[in-house]
Amino acid sequence: HGLGSSAEDWAPQLAPFGARYRLLLVDLPGHWRSARPRGRLTVGGMAERVETLLAELGEPAVHVVGLSLGACVGLALALRAPERVRSLTLVNAFARLEPPDAAGALRFALRLVLLATAPMTTVAALVARGLFPRPEQGDLYRAAVASLSRTSRRVYLESIAALAAFDVRDQLAQIAQPTLVVAGERDRTIARAATEALARGIPGARFAIVADSGHASHYDQPDAFNRL
């Protein structure tokens, strides 16, 4: 799942994939039902905890599907424990964080200001409006506000810092697992150039665009995403 959210985001994938696969839905450290670990949150630390979980469950190599922050954790897991990863699906992802344009950078700056001055419900409303801006997406917007509001200010800020520090551009050639990189056509959070560069950097990766989709492609266009 993405920054500040939870495994509940994958509800549109449960029925289509649950009939054929054992599904493990993870709340990343500090997010909703998962406790915040001691020390500073990092993408590598989150990946280490996922690796530990897989070992404790006795799982064989898994198909890893991640959105944004979750995609970074998936990348880090594939790099630190390649034997645990059977394939990667990286949604609106990056090897290094880049806003899509000047407007995106401004929205991100506004988010930081609100994190310092406003309740988390206000931050959640801003982020959710960027994810689901259309009037007909009201149900998706309200669900996103509820999900994002559960995240503490501290975890949200630490997760932003973890993403800002994440940079695996020089390690992408090490990834040998079959990889699908998915981009939302209307993603206003991550630069398309960063997503395309990620696909180019991973040997043999496939790149696909979900039409008429924003940052949460698996959620706003679930049928098209699930087919991919």
Side-chain angles (χ1 to χ4, degrees), residues 58-135:
E59 292 295 328
V62 296
H63 299 286
V64 175
V65 183
L67 166 72
S68 200
L69 169 63
C72 294
V73 174
L75 277 169
L77 178 64
L79 289 167
R80 68 172 286 117
E83 72 283 358
R84 294 280 178 199
V85 179
R86 184 171 174 181
S87 73
L88 285 170
T89 298
L90 308 173
V91 188
N92 293 314
F94 49 88
R96 182 176 182 274
L97 181 61
E98 294 180 33
D101 49 30
L106 184 61
R107 287 192 298 272
F108 188 76
L110 177 59
R111 190 187 312 189
L112 293 178
V113 170
L114 291 178
L115 277 166
T117 61
M120 282 304 295
T121 51
T122 303
V123 178
L126 172 73
V127 175
R129 183 57 65 200
L131 294 173
F132 307 114
R134 297 178 176 178

Side-chain angles (χ1 to χ4, degrees), residues 46-56 77 80-81 83-84:
M46 293 182 184
E48 182 179 4
R49 285 183 168 262
V50 174
E51 178 189 3
T52 299
L53 174 65
L54 294 174
E56 289 178 350
L77 178 64
R80 68 172 286 117
E83 72 283 358
R84 294 280 178 199

Side-chain angles (χ1 to χ4, degrees), residues 1-6 8-9 30-32 67 69 111 115 119-132 140-156 215-216:
H1 64 80
L3 170 65
S5 199
S6 75
E8 282 200 339
D9 285 359
H31 290 71
W32 198 22
L67 166 72
L69 169 63
R111 190 187 312 189
L115 277 166
M120 282 304 295
T121 51
T122 303
V123 178
L126 172 73
V127 175
R129 183 57 65 200
L131 294 173
F132 307 114
L140 298 179
Y141 166 80
R142 287 184 287 273
V145 171
S147 178
L148 293 164
S149 295
R150 288 192 295 249
T151 305
S152 74
R153 190 184 312 273
R154 179 177 181 180
V155 166
Y156 203 98
H215 188 60

